[in-house]
Amino acid sequence: MPIWIPKKVDVPLTEEQLQGLLKQYDKNGDGRLSREELREAFRSLGLNFSGWRAWRALRHADGNGDGYISEEEMKELVKYATSKWGFTVY
Ligand SMILES: [Ca+2]
Ligand SMILES: [Ca+2]
């Protein structure tokens, strides 16, 4: 487990924008985000420990425990990411 280094990520995004951005990383187009797809998304946002964050976010937001983030669960994921990781959200 990597050491947690709190880091303010200066990415001004609305929750809607962030969600829209995440959706673009649904590479296989199944309407859900896998952990791998999440990792790519976070990395593209310039987040460190993107793999670890993907794991954390998935664990937090995957309400039905199927290992994927559905569109519904994405709202929770966005809420989590914005509150924990300091995305600037208007
Ligand atoms: Ca997918
Ligand atoms: Ca799920």
Side-chain angles (χ1 to χ4, degrees), residues 5-89:
I5 303 168
K7 185 185 169 212
K8 177 105 176 97
V9 182
D10 193 18
V11 185
L13 289 170
T14 65
E15 286 190 20
E16 217 165 59
Q17 281 174 328
L18 185 53
Q19 199 170 328
L21 195 147
L22 288 173
K23 273 185 210 166
Q24 291 175 17
Y25 286 88
D26 177 20
K27 299 288 186 205
N28 61 1
D30 65 353
R32 308 175 301 177
L33 289 173
S34 66
R35 190 171 141 192
E36 182 64 20
E37 289 167 344
L38 270 180
R39 188 175 66 80
E40 278 303 311
F42 292 154
R43 197 166 56 180
S44 80
L45 286 167
L47 293 169
N48 54 4
F49 306 127
S50 56
W52 178 73
R53 284 176 200 269
W55 179 75
R56 291 285 305 218
L58 189 62
R59 270 187 60 134
H60 177 84
D62 183 15
N64 62 1
D66 65 356
Y68 294 92
I69 299 298
S70 65
E71 192 155 337
E72 211 168 81
E73 291 165 348
M74 227 177 268
K75 290 191 182 70
E76 186 59 34
L77 180 107
V78 165
K79 221 187 294 173
Y80 178 82
T82 51
S83 63
K84 293 276 182 188
W85 303 340
F87 286 107
T88 308
V89 175

